Amino acid sequence: MMTSLKMLHGLLRMVNDGVLLVGRQIAWIAMALMVAVIVIQVFFRYVLNGALPWPEEAARALMIWMTAVIAPSAYRWGVFVSIDMIKDALPTVLRRMLELALLVMSAVVLGFLLWHATKHFNSGFIFKSSALKIPLAWIYLAMPVCWTLMLSVTAELVVGFFGRLVGEEEDFPRATPPAILGTE
């Protein structure tokens, strides 16, 4: 039992490490492109006095994708904004029960969001964006990607939670953000 749990956690951790690393690389590229597109629009609008029709739409699509691929890493690292004073005031057993309840609720909500986002993505092939002239589905795809990655992270967190509950803490390490984020 413990070996299977440890192997499952290791597999989820390895998959999430790789996929989320790719997501973080896509996020910084999307951020750089978004800034470049905005600078281009500012130049055309205020220097050349002729705004382009596509930069706002392109910047918005890049921001949506950037958020969708970076949010799962933030969720995994536990760096979303949260109010911890109630959780921290609880005894260990109640704190663990609350943590598990929140993970289960997260999985349910993420599953619901994924279901709706997939339906929305499929309907996006009917319409094209007004300025970029691409099917809106390619912008809408960001949400199913985000929710799928967050569900994968939730699975890792749940398996790690149970592993730490019945096994050794060091056998089920928590993912930690890179030192560059300054969260230590």
Side-chain angles (χ1 to χ4, degrees):
M1 166 73 175
M2 185 56 65
T3 305
S4 298
L5 206 56
K6 192 173 173 182
M7 285 176 46
L8 179 58
H9 186 256
L11 177 65
L12 287 167
R13 192 172 161 83
M14 183 181 68
V15 168
N16 286 338
D17 280 346
V19 173
L20 297 181
L21 176 63
V22 170
R24 290 192 300 276
Q25 302 314 307
I26 292 169
W28 76 258
I29 292 168
M31 173 70 92
L33 289 171
M34 184 175 65
V35 169
V37 164
I38 292 168
V39 168
I40 288 168
Q41 180 67 329
V42 167
F43 177 77
F44 272 81
R45 179 172 291 183
Y46 297 108
V47 175
L48 301 179
N49 203 24
L52 298 171
W54 58 269
E56 284 89 356
E57 200 171 278
R60 185 172 45 250
L62 288 164
M63 182 177 63
I64 290 167
W65 269 99
M66 176 199 59
T67 303
V69 295
I70 199 67
S73 287
Y75 175 49
R76 185 180 191 217
W77 295 331
V79 295
F80 280 155
V81 174
S82 63
I83 300 171
D84 293 336
M85 62 187 182
I86 294 172
K87 179 190 80 161
D88 292 344
L90 294 173
T92 304
V93 173
L94 290 177
R95 187 175 334 140
R96 286 183 177 164
M97 288 172 56
L98 177 62
E99 183 182 345
L100 180 60
L102 291 173
L103 286 171
V104 169
M105 282 192 291
S106 293
V108 170
V109 169
L110 289 168
F112 180 76
L113 290 171
L114 177 59
W115 181 67
H116 280 288
T118 302
K119 287 183 4 182
H120 200 62
F121 163 72
N122 290 330
S123 70
F125 287 106
I126 298 169
F127 304 102
K128 290 189 182 232
S129 66
S130 57
L132 296 174
K133 306 296 184 208
I134 62 170
L136 288 174
W138 300 120
I139 298 168
Y140 296 163
L141 180 61
M143 290 301 93
V145 167
C146 180
W147 306 139
T148 299
L149 294 176
M150 290 183 83
L151 274 169
S152 179
V153 167
T154 301
E156 177 190 342
L157 294 174
V158 167
V159 171
F161 174 87
F162 281 115
R164 286 185 292 279
L165 193 63
V166 298
E168 299 297 322
E169 181 88 21
E170 60 271 2
D171 288 339
F172 299 91
R174 299 174 195 267
T176 56
I180 193 166
L181 293 181
T183 57
E184 284 127 41

